[in-house]
Amino acid sequence: MYQREYHLSRHTNPFPEILDDIIYNRILKDPNYWISQDLEDKIIQIISQSLDISGILYHLGTESLITNAYDLLPLDDSRIDLEEMIHRLPILIGRLTRVVYLNLKTISNHKVLFVFKYLPEYQEKWYDAVFFQGMLNGLAVLFELKEFTIRMTKTKLFGIHISHKELGEDIQFGADSNEYELEWSEDNLFLSRSRLTKDDVSNRHRVMVTSRSDSQLEEISIVDVKDVVRRSRELAIENRDLEAAVEVLKSFKQELEKKQLSMAKDLRLAKNIQKGLIPEIIPDWNGIQFWTGFTPMQEVSGDYYDYFPYHNNKLGVAVCDVSGHGVPAAFITALSKLLFSNFKKTKPSETFKLINRELLDLVKQQGYTTCVYVLIHDNYKVIYSVAGHPRPILFRAETKRAEICEGDGTFLGMFPDAGDTFQDFQIQLEPGDKLFLYTDGLTEAENDKGVQYGETRLIQIIESCVDKSIQETVEFILSNHKEFTMGTDPMDDITLLGLQLSPRLDEFNVIKAKGDEAYRNKEYKEALFSYELAHQILPRELETQLFYGKALAYNGNYEKAISLLESYNKFKTNHYKSHSILGYCYFQMEMFDKAEIEWKKAHSINDSDLSSLYNLAQLYRKLNQKRKMKDVIEKMKRIEESYLHILPLEKKWESLPDE
């Protein structure tokens, strides 16, 4: 019923037969924790067997009023008298109990009747009467009454134990409420928040709070009224300050959550942009196979790699490490891609000079980039340059040894004279040779003992993969690296790009040539056989993918043809013939929506080609889309009115039902 303000033992549950440890600990931790009336009765019954609980409850009632009185006083520090304080007591009762409410009746100038009403379902106990009378004693203590009486006149109880006879005489038992009379003789009694005694009293007062047992005064404790109320005031002020601080923190939290949502949105956008900038795969080129491993430390990485086809049958490959992480790094990454695409010089060092100049102008030395850039010629001569980046590692198939290539140079985007440090170096690839480009996140990663992975270990792992393909080698390195750093958090982004001149290059060229000849002769089954073998040797070689896909389509294997042509179109988006054949495969598979998309793409790439429009017209005829078919026929007429298929299409259009 009441808020518990006394302390139970924190060592052992004293009521194991009626109270489990969980509830007991909750009572200890939370003085506002409410328990059932039945459980409260049992606890008090047990305590009563060893203690005179009457005096304790009386004392609790007195202290409850004293310690809560400060909150009943006016906030503006104005004074109130005893009667005004009495009329504020119902507020306090409402805070202390859920089952009792207080009514007041003024009998005379210095006499008030307190009527404690109980909820119908609550059965009053004797200790309620003791507690409430103790509260009224707290009023007398606060106002330092010298002459006063407190007596119970009515109670819901049907009797009171002899030890509680100090509650009063001539009590009416079995009433519908508990009623007490408080009578005093003094005048001019005032309290305020800053002054808690009569106006003419400035000294500190100490009062003795007592319980009454067998008509004898028994000292329980000495209470300094001003100390109690002063501390109550301090706690109230601290509580208000704390509440204000909580509100400020809530405001900060809300603002922080808004900023976090905004940042998360920006990061997702930057991540999606960067995902579009970094190629998922690099296709095989001129007999060279590529494989990459890319592990960003955060959502948005500072590492970057890409490839750049040249018109004169060269291929540029760059691996970069932008300073920092997150959105700023993503911005420089996007800028780097643009610059590499624009500055396709025949010497990587010249490309670096131009990029360094542009980064200085655009980034204003707010970030820098390290990079290694290799330019591969069709005769497998490789020219590369290094800008503050880990040097490439070259594995020679003939010697089965790996070594770090030479090269040096400062990073990009920080120093105007950095161009003087860039140099070009040259190597010649032979069949089976492998070249590895990587960022320092790979070699500088540490294990749980603080030991770096290091270049020496990387070279040893590369040499152990002598018979592995470039895909198998890269995946083995990353697996070994993951095992080495297990149990540690990544400290940087990790990028590894490996390339290998196929050891079966001559075999591939012979097989591919046979397939090309058969295809030109429209011997599609023979072409299909050769292209399948060539595709097994270089599965990412784009030209083989295209003609293999065409041969499959002409042989009726539409599903496999779709897979190859879709892969090809990711890299060669402007090849109208591949889109046209892919649309044909979708049409045969009755995937009409996709067929329409591919034929429209083919026409947008080559708007003078009538075959894609013819296919669209046939598609709309099959779908009974008369209006769309008519639009396509009209477009064909505008391109070439004499096109021999127009007239048959118009007759078919006329036979369609109206939409």
Side-chain angles (χ1 to χ4, degrees):
M1 172 181 172
Y2 310 109
Q3 297 182 27
R4 269 56 179 174
E5 299 188 11
Y6 48 87
H7 299 283
L8 300 176
S9 170
R10 293 185 180 273
H11 302 291
T12 305
N13 179 3
F15 316 111
E17 65 276 11
I18 62 170
L19 188 66
D20 64 45
D21 291 341
I22 295 176
I23 298 297
Y24 175 70
N25 288 323
R26 290 188 66 179
I27 293 173
L28 292 182
K29 293 178 181 178
D30 183 6
N32 296 315
Y33 182 71
W34 297 85
I35 61 176
S36 67
Q37 179 185 348
D38 181 61
L39 181 57
E40 185 179 68
D41 291 343
K42 292 178 181 178
I43 292 174
I44 291 179
Q45 183 178 359
I46 293 174
I47 295 175
S48 299
Q49 295 174 1
S50 57
L51 294 173
D52 178 12
I53 197 170
S54 173
I56 296 174
L57 289 170
Y58 190 90
H59 171 63
L60 277 175
T62 299
E63 283 199 328
S64 292
L65 187 132
I66 292 173
T67 56
N68 287 281
Y70 184 81
D71 289 335
L72 299 178
L73 296 171
L75 294 175
D76 61 1
D77 205 31
S78 58
R79 302 184 307 170
I80 62 172
D81 60 15
L82 176 57
E83 290 191 19
E84 176 63 23
M85 174 63 86
I86 288 172
H87 282 87
R88 297 186 179 208
L89 281 186
I91 300 173
L92 178 58
I93 297 299
R95 294 177 184 173
L96 294 179
T97 176
R98 297 179 177 180
V99 298
V100 181
Y101 58 93
L102 173 62
N103 292 328
L104 301 168
K105 295 180 181 178
T106 301
I107 299 175
S108 63
N109 191 27
H110 290 162
K111 189 174 183 180
V112 176
L113 182 67
F114 298 81
V115 181
F116 291 88
K117 288 278 190 178
Y118 292 80
L119 296 180
E121 63 271 17
Y122 182 76
Q123 182 179 356
E124 183 198 10
K125 301 298 181 181
W126 64 265
Y127 46 80
D128 297 333
V130 177
F131 180 85
F132 287 133
Q133 187 154 352
M135 287 189 67
L136 300 184
N137 180 66
L139 275 177
V141 171
L142 270 181
F143 282 85
E144 301 183 36
L145 300 180
K146 292 183 174 59
E147 296 181 9
F148 68 95
T149 58
I150 303 171
R151 71 183 189 90
M152 174 179 277
T153 59
K154 292 182 180 181
T155 178
K156 289 181 67 177
L157 299 171
F158 290 96
I160 296 180
H161 191 275
I162 188 171
S163 63
H164 313 135
K165 63 184 180 180
E166 71 276 5
L167 291 175
E169 299 178 357
D170 301 325
I171 299 174
Q172 178 185 339
F173 296 104
D176 60 354
S177 61
N178 275 4
E179 296 184 8
Y180 303 84
E181 286 183 359
L182 172 61
E183 188 173 6
W184 67 97
S185 58
E186 292 102 324
D187 291 317
N188 300 321
L189 301 174
F190 297 98
L191 277 180
S192 67
R193 290 199 167 201
S194 60
R195 189 177 184 86
L196 294 167
T197 59
K198 292 184 298 182
D199 288 349
D200 58 348
V201 178
S202 58
N203 295 326
R204 296 167 63 86
H205 287 263
R206 298 172 65 82
V207 298
M208 185 169 65
V209 179
T210 62
S211 68
R212 295 157 173 78
S213 177
D214 297 329
S215 300
Q216 300 295 320
L217 288 178
E218 178 185 353
E219 182 178 321
I220 299 298
S221 63
I222 300 297
V223 178
D224 189 321
V225 176
K226 281 195 172 182
D227 280 348
V228 170
V229 181
R230 175 183 54 78
R231 184 56 184 153
S232 297
R233 180 170 67 249
E234 291 173 353
L235 289 173
I237 293 172
E238 290 173 4
N239 185 58
R240 286 198 302 273
D241 292 343
L242 182 60
E243 289 176 352
V246 168
E247 291 302 316
V248 172
L249 288 175
K250 284 181 179 178
S251 176
F252 285 158
K253 180 175 179 289
Q254 292 172 354
E255 188 65 26
L256 181 60
E257 287 174 347
K258 290 180 182 178
K259 290 182 178 179
Q260 286 176 332
L261 287 173
S262 177
M263 289 175 61
K265 183 178 179 181
D266 291 343
L267 279 174
R268 285 194 300 270
L269 177 61
K271 181 181 180 180
N272 291 333
I273 292 173
Q274 191 175 62
K275 187 177 180 181
L277 295 175
I278 299 177
E280 186 176 346
I281 62 174
I282 300 178
D284 299 340
W285 179 84
N286 202 26
I288 295 178
Q289 295 177 279
F290 297 86
W291 205 264
T292 58
F294 176 59
T295 306
M297 185 182 74
Q298 298 178 354
E299 279 194 280
V300 181
S301 171
D303 283 7
Y304 163 72
Y305 67 88
D306 205 351
Y307 67 100
F308 308 94
Y310 282 54
H311 293 301
N312 53 354
N313 208 21
K314 298 182 182 69
L315 183 71
V317 179
V319 172
C320 304
D321 187 352
V322 179
S323 61
H325 305 277
V327 176
F331 168 73
I332 299 179
T333 296
L335 189 58
S336 298
K337 180 181 180 71
L338 177 64
L339 295 175
F340 275 111
S341 298
N342 288 342
F343 300 136
K344 294 180 179 179
K345 299 299 179 180
T346 56
K347 292 183 178 181
S349 62
E350 295 298 323
T351 299
F352 277 166
K353 289 177 183 179
L354 294 172
I355 291 176
N356 184 67
R357 184 191 66 194
E358 293 299 318
L359 287 177
L360 283 169
D361 289 342
L362 296 171
V363 184
K364 310 298 183 185
Q365 297 178 315
Q366 297 302 306
Y368 63 87
T369 302
T370 72
C371 185
V372 57
Y373 187 56
V374 302
L375 185 60
I376 309 171
H377 293 242
D378 57 357
N379 62 356
Y380 309 115
K381 178 177 69 175
V382 176
I383 301 175
Y384 70 92
S385 187
V386 177
H389 197 86
R391 294 169 293 172
I393 294 178
L394 175 64
F395 172 80
R396 290 293 189 185
E398 184 178 1
T399 63
K400 300 181 181 179
R401 303 290 295 177
E403 61 182 5
I404 299 175
C405 300
E406 59 181 334
D408 199 6
T410 192
F411 34 74
L412 305 169
M414 284 296 287
F415 306 111
D417 58 352
D420 298 336
T421 69
F422 303 137
Q423 303 177 60
D424 293 308
F425 301 90
Q426 180 176 319
I427 56 178
Q428 182 67 43
L429 290 180
E430 302 294 339
D433 288 352
K434 302 172 186 175
L435 187 66
F436 298 91
L437 315 178
Y438 56 94
T439 57
D440 57 12
L442 180 72
T443 51
E444 293 181 2
E446 297 179 351
N447 62 11
D448 54 3
K449 297 179 181 178
V451 178
Q452 288 191 349
Y453 191 75
E455 292 176 337
T456 301
R457 190 185 314 273
L458 177 58
I459 289 174
Q460 291 172 349
I461 296 299
I462 290 172
E463 290 179 343
S464 71
C465 298
V466 59
D467 295 323
K468 296 183 184 295
S469 67
I470 192 62
Q471 174 185 349
E472 293 169 334
T473 303
V474 169
E475 290 178 348
F476 185 79
I477 292 170
L478 295 176
S479 175
N480 179 267
H481 187 274
K482 183 177 180 180
E483 182 179 349
F484 179 83
T485 58
M486 188 172 295
T488 64
D489 294 326
M491 301 302 294
D492 200 356
D493 307 313
I494 296 172
T495 298
L496 173 62
L497 186 152
L499 62 91
Q500 181 182 32
L501 179 56
S502 175
R504 301 175 63 186
L505 179 60
D506 292 340
E507 180 186 0
F508 170 83
N509 288 333
V510 171
I511 296 173
K512 172 77 164 42
K514 288 182 179 179
D516 292 342
E517 183 178 1
Y519 187 89
R520 285 192 298 270
N521 295 329
K522 298 184 179 181
E523 299 170 349
Y524 297 124
K525 288 187 177 180
E526 289 77 3
L528 182 61
F529 176 75
S530 295
Y531 287 142
E532 185 172 7
L533 293 177
H535 182 68
Q536 291 173 1
I537 297 173
L538 293 177
R540 291 181 173 178
E541 207 278 325
L542 293 180
E543 187 173 293
T544 304
Q545 282 187 0
L546 175 61
F547 284 94
Y548 186 20
K550 288 181 179 181
L552 286 166
Y554 293 147
N555 281 280
N557 192 339
Y558 304 117
E559 188 172 355
K560 192 170 183 180
I562 286 172
S563 175
L564 287 166
L565 293 171
E566 283 181 340
S567 176
Y568 177 85
N569 287 341
K570 287 180 181 179
F571 300 97
K572 298 290 186 178
T573 58
N574 60 348
H575 195 288
Y576 84 94
K577 196 66 176 178
S578 66
H579 287 289
S580 181
I581 296 174
L582 181 57
Y584 172 75
C585 293
Y586 282 136
F587 183 85
Q588 295 299 325
M589 297 288 291
E590 297 187 351
M591 302 166 71
F592 300 127
D593 290 344
K594 291 187 175 182
E596 180 183 18
I597 291 171
E598 293 302 322
W599 282 331
K600 284 183 175 180
K601 285 181 180 178
H603 178 67
S604 67
I605 295 169
N606 185 1
D607 58 7
S608 64
D609 178 63
L610 292 171
S611 61
S612 298
L613 292 177
Y614 175 80
N615 290 332
L616 281 170
Q618 293 285 29
L619 171 65
Y620 296 141
R621 173 178 171 269
K622 184 175 183 64
L623 298 176
N624 290 322
Q625 295 179 354
K626 191 172 184 178
R627 181 181 56 80
K628 286 186 176 182
M629 184 179 179
K630 180 65 174 177
D631 291 342
V632 171
I633 293 173
E634 293 300 320
K635 187 177 290 187
M636 293 170 70
K637 286 181 178 180
R638 289 194 295 270
I639 296 173
E640 186 180 337
E641 191 170 2
S642 61
Y643 184 53
L644 59 90
H645 290 295
I646 291 178
L647 186 58
L649 285 174
E650 286 183 322
K651 290 182 178 180
K652 292 176 181 178
W653 173 79
E654 291 173 354
S655 66
L656 289 177
D658 292 333
E659 294 184 64

